Amino acid sequence: MTSPLFDRIPARRTELGEGLTIRRALPTAQRRRVGAWCFLDHIGPVQFEGQALANGGLHVGGHPHIGLQTFTWMIEGEILHRDSLGSEQLIRPGEVNLMTAGHGIVHTEDAPAGTARIHAAQLWIALPPGEEDRPPAFEHHASLPRWQEQGAQWTLLAGTHAGRTAAPKVYTPLLGLEIHAPNEAVELQLELRGDFEHGLLPLEGELGLAGETLGTGELAYLAPGQAPASIRLSAGGRLLLLGGEPFPAEIEMWWNFVGLSRSAVARAQADWDAQREAGGPRFGRVQGDEGRRLVAPRLPASGY
């Protein structure tokens, strides 16, 4: 469904066990990416009970990445990140974990036992030509630019906005912004770059845009030059706003790999198959992940 200003794109809903709901807004058949943002999962909110509460309701075994950055924005709950660099970092609400895969990295994600509720956004950022094979790295950011404006709370997650710059290191011009209206509905004037494409995803409540209303599970995509003058957030509403210059290259995405060519993805899959059990120079071991490393699905002969 489209309007003169934006494309309305439904997220795909998936259950990942223990009642954990994922709404995948990128990539979809309608839209593969927004700038360098090439993957967006809205996780939860979900309340864990019983055995899931005792054990932690999120456990993702060791899995590899190449050619991208993983970006986690935590709203409620906690997730423990471990990776093959030796990083071990608990992310809490209002914090960002940024992992640069580059040439190759392995990581795990676990909700600690007793975690009652999880709500987060997990994203990937494609690395541009010349940076896709860079050495892997990990950053944790507990402090981000936050301010009050127009009756809402604003948090800059990535890039530059309103004279502020977020600390996470990215490699293409992009924007990540959360806007929250905790008490009452607000009308907001946006000042967005005309050369960026943008995506607006309600994480809680409803978004009013160009005379239409979008709820959680719906992404509004705006092409360059279509930045809205104003939006409306319902009381309690929370909006994730992404932006970026159109990505300068085509990318291949398969499973957990992002590459600038099919051959790059195929090489990564072959390396993972060879190094999954014992580890190796590209995809090392993660401490505490013995026996949990994920098996990659088979790469199709053509197309995916």
Side-chain angles (χ1 to χ4, degrees):
M1 182 177 180
T2 62
S3 80
L5 179 66
F6 68 92
D7 293 340
R8 183 193 294 257
I9 300 171
R12 292 183 289 119
R13 184 184 177 103
T14 303
E15 300 287 342
L16 296 185
E18 302 291 354
L20 187 61
T21 300
I22 305 294
R23 296 180 182 89
R24 182 154 298 164
L26 290 173
T28 66
Q30 300 98 318
R31 172 56 41 188
R32 306 303 296 174
R33 54 187 177 271
V34 175
W37 302 100
C38 62
F39 181 95
L40 168 54
D41 270 359
H42 181 196
I43 302 175
V46 60
Q47 188 80 28
F48 297 120
E49 299 177 352
Q51 198 63 41
L53 175 62
N55 296 336
L58 174 70
H59 299 285
V60 182
H63 59 283
H65 290 289
I66 67 161
L68 58 85
Q69 296 177 287
T70 64
F71 190 103
T72 302
W73 167 239
M74 206 70 201
I75 302 166
E76 296 180 78
E78 297 179 343
I79 294 176
L80 178 64
H81 164 97
R82 296 188 181 102
D83 64 42
S84 51
L85 298 175
S87 311
E88 182 170 325
Q89 180 64 57
L90 190 66
I91 182 173
R92 298 180 172 90
E95 300 178 349
V96 162
N97 276 354
L98 178 67
M99 184 182 76
T100 301
H103 180 66
I105 199 169
V106 183
H107 76 134
T108 64
E109 296 167 292
D110 296 280
T115 300
R117 187 172 170 90
I118 288 285
H119 192 193
Q122 290 197 318
L123 305 102
W124 295 355
I125 305 169
L127 291 170
E131 301 289 355
E132 78 281 6
D133 205 39
R134 66 178 298 105
F138 176 78
E139 305 172 19
H140 173 74
H141 298 280
S143 179
L144 297 160
R146 293 181 171 88
W147 68 99
Q148 299 281 334
E149 182 181 325
Q150 303 180 61
Q153 299 174 356
W154 303 62
T155 305
L156 183 60
L157 311 181
T160 298
H161 180 75
R164 300 169 173 89
T165 299
K169 183 174 178 56
V170 295
Y171 295 89
T172 57
L174 53 73
L175 172 66
L177 185 66
E178 189 202 73
I179 309 173
H180 181 38
N183 299 317
E184 58 187 15
V186 292
E187 297 277 351
L188 303 172
Q189 302 299 311
L190 298 180
E191 296 183 8
L192 302 176
R193 286 180 51 166
D195 60 331
F196 274 20
E197 53 186 355
H198 292 91
L200 293 82
L201 179 71
L203 300 175
E204 295 178 299
E206 293 181 336
L207 166 68
L209 176 64
E212 298 189 30
T213 300
L214 293 90
T216 56
E218 295 182 292
L219 174 75
Y221 169 76
L222 296 89
Q226 291 184 309
S230 64
I231 62 171
R232 184 180 189 275
L233 275 184
S234 63
R238 188 184 301 269
L239 173 69
L240 180 63
L241 192 158
L242 306 176
E245 288 184 351
F247 196 69
E250 290 300 317
I251 64 173
E252 298 282 340
M253 292 182 61
W254 172 251
W255 193 45
N256 295 307
F257 303 126
V258 169
L260 298 179
S261 67
R262 182 183 173 86
S263 62
V265 171
R267 284 195 300 273
Q269 172 130 9
D271 288 344
W272 175 247
D273 289 344
Q275 299 174 25
R276 183 179 67 85
E277 293 189 5
R282 188 173 196 183
F283 297 123
R285 301 296 307 183
V286 178
Q287 186 173 0
D289 186 45
E290 291 76 9
R292 289 202 299 150
R293 284 155 79 95
L294 304 186
V295 177
R298 293 300 87 200
L299 185 67
S302 63
Y304 41 87

